[in-house]
């Protein structure tokens, strides 16, 4: 089993090579909350109010939150939040392109992230993933003409190899860096047996954001899908965060797939992430 890295281990390891500490306000401009984390805390009004109260300035939204663009814009303004990106199913873009684009532009968002492929729709061959990559690439090119950026969010199933290459690498190789960026979920990528640092080194400038969450060992947080706040689990953050920065990652987006106590998760995650990001390596 990998060595467990606590928050104190993460911060101390970074501090050992630190030259200075960045102001909290500066790192907050690179931190966001994925609103999927708060989906079970109540209506949208309560969710966005909680994000604001916890100290977030930026959020990644999920679809439309069953709101009109006007309603969502009002909630964002009320809670002093801006949108970094939105998780949007590829089918929504293909079936209602104009409506999806108009909604996101109205709420101030310019990055659309394909977050998931249903099991029945997942490619099962090397060529199948190439075809999927080209499908994403074509959509990304179309969005660019309308002033928006397309990105893809991984889970662990894209770590399966075809001809010695992971499905995620097939997607990246067979799409244009201009048309498709990657929002790397480092926890899911690690669960698939891959090293996040290797991807940062292999694809500089391609990974615009990471989902900042950690993996707990089996037996810890089993009822929360074994996810835990950054710095309190198994991932090597003293290596991951500097590599992410060098690669050009702009956004560190806090997320938890199944939090029992959403308030505790997001406030702990924010505190840990701020501490880790404030310490900059030489």
């Amino acid at each position: 089993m990998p060595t467990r890295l606590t928050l104190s281990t993460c911060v101390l390891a970074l501090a050992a090579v630190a030259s200075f500490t960045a102001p909290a306000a500066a790192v907050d401009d690179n931190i966001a909350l994925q609103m999927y984390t708060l989906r079970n805390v109540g209506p949208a009004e309560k969710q966005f109010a909680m994000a604001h109260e916890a100290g977030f300035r930026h959020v990644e939204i999920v679809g439309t939150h069953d709101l009109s663009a006007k309603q969502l814009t009002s909630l964002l303004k009320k809670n002093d939040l801006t949108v970094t990106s939105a998780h949007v199913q590829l089918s929504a873009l293909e079936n209602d392109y104009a409506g999806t684009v108009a909604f996101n532009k109205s709420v101030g968002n310019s990055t659309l992230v394909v977050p998931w492929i249903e099991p029945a729709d997942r490619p099962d061959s090397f060529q199948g993933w190439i075809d999927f990559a080209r499908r994403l690439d074509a959509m990304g090119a179309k969005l660019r003409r309308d002033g928006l950026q397309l990105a893809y969010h991984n889970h662990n199933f894209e770590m399966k190899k075809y001809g010695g290459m992971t499905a995620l690498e097939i997607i990246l190789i067979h799409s244009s860096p201009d048309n498709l960026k990657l929002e790397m979920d480092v926890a899911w990528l690690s669960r698939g047996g891959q090293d996040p640092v290797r991807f940062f080194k292999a694809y500089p400038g391609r990974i615009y954001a990471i989902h900042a969450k950690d993996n707990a060992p089996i037996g810890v947080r089993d009822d929360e899908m074994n996810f835990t706040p950054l710095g309190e689990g198994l991932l090597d953050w003293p290596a991951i965060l500097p590599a992410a920065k060098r690669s050009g990652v702009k956004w560190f987006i806090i997320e938890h797939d199944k939090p029992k106590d959403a308030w505790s998760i997001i406030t702990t995650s924010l505190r840990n992430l701020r501490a880790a990001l404030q310490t900059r390596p030489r």
Side-chain angles (χ1 to χ4, degrees):
M1 180 180 292
T3 301
R4 185 174 180 183
L5 297 171
T6 64
L7 171 62
S8 59
T9 304
C10 176
V11 173
L12 287 173
L14 285 173
V17 295
S19 58
F20 66 95
T21 299
V27 299
D28 280 355
D29 283 336
N30 298 109
I31 295 174
L33 174 66
Q34 166 51 253
M35 293 302 294
Y36 182 74
T37 309
L38 303 185
R39 66 194 181 280
N40 294 322
V41 304
E45 290 81 358
K46 185 174 181 179
Q47 295 175 32
F48 286 94
M50 180 178 286
H52 170 77
E53 187 179 355
F56 290 92
R57 299 178 184 176
H58 313 284
V59 291
E60 181 174 59
I61 61 175
V62 184
T64 67
H65 291 268
D66 294 322
L67 300 170
S68 68
K70 183 177 180 180
Q71 290 171 324
L72 181 52
T73 299
S74 177
L75 270 184
L76 292 166
K77 183 176 181 180
K78 179 180 179 181
N79 292 289
D80 297 318
L81 296 167
T82 65
V83 178
T84 65
S85 43
H87 276 197
V88 176
Q89 298 296 335
L90 185 56
S91 58
L93 278 165
E94 292 176 335
N95 297 330
D96 184 17
Y97 179 85
T100 302
V101 167
F103 179 91
N104 280 277
K105 285 188 173 183
S106 293
V107 301
N109 177 48
S110 61
T111 301
L112 305 180
V113 185
V114 174
W116 176 251
I117 310 173
E118 292 293 341
D121 298 328
R122 292 172 193 169
D124 59 2
S125 68
F126 189 92
Q127 185 59 50
W129 282 105
I130 291 176
D131 293 341
F132 182 70
R134 290 172 176 166
R135 184 177 163 197
L136 290 172
D137 191 72
M139 180 58 70
K142 185 176 182 180
L143 285 167
R144 283 183 64 219
R145 290 191 290 269
D146 285 318
L148 291 96
Q149 176 69 60
L150 184 66
Y152 183 79
H153 170 279
N154 69 278
H155 287 79
N156 60 341
F157 60 83
E158 300 94 342
M159 303 310 117
K160 183 177 178 179
K161 291 188 176 181
Y162 300 82
M165 186 180 299
T166 66
L168 184 58
E169 289 171 293
I170 297 172
I171 290 174
L172 294 173
I173 290 170
H174 292 276
S175 59
S176 163
D178 292 330
N179 294 340
L180 186 70
K181 302 297 184 183
L182 175 62
E183 177 180 77
M184 183 199 288
D185 191 307
V186 292
W188 277 115
L189 187 138
S190 181
R191 287 188 182 196
Q194 297 300 310
D195 178 12
V197 173
R198 180 179 75 83
F199 272 80
F200 290 129
K201 291 179 179 178
Y203 300 98
R206 195 77 188 268
I207 304 165
Y208 91 98
I210 69 168
H211 271 189
K213 65 189 182 196
D214 215 331
N215 291 323
I218 299 300
V220 178
R221 296 184 185 263
D222 288 348
D223 55 353
E224 295 181 282
M225 295 175 63
N226 302 105
F227 288 118
T228 191
L230 178 149
E232 301 191 352
L234 300 171
L235 296 183
D236 185 3
W237 294 104
I240 291 171
L241 291 177
K245 293 175 184 178
R246 287 192 296 268
S247 181
V249 170
K250 161 66 176 173
W251 291 106
F252 298 84
I253 303 174
I254 288 170
E255 183 194 43
H256 194 291
D257 293 51
K258 192 180 178 181
K260 288 176 63 178
D261 182 343
W263 175 257
S264 176
I265 288 292
I266 66 173
T267 53
T268 301
S269 297
L270 181 58
R271 181 177 66 249
N272 291 2
L273 182 56
R274 277 173 171 165
L277 289 178
Q278 277 183 269
T279 305
R280 296 184 178 179
R282 290 190 181 97

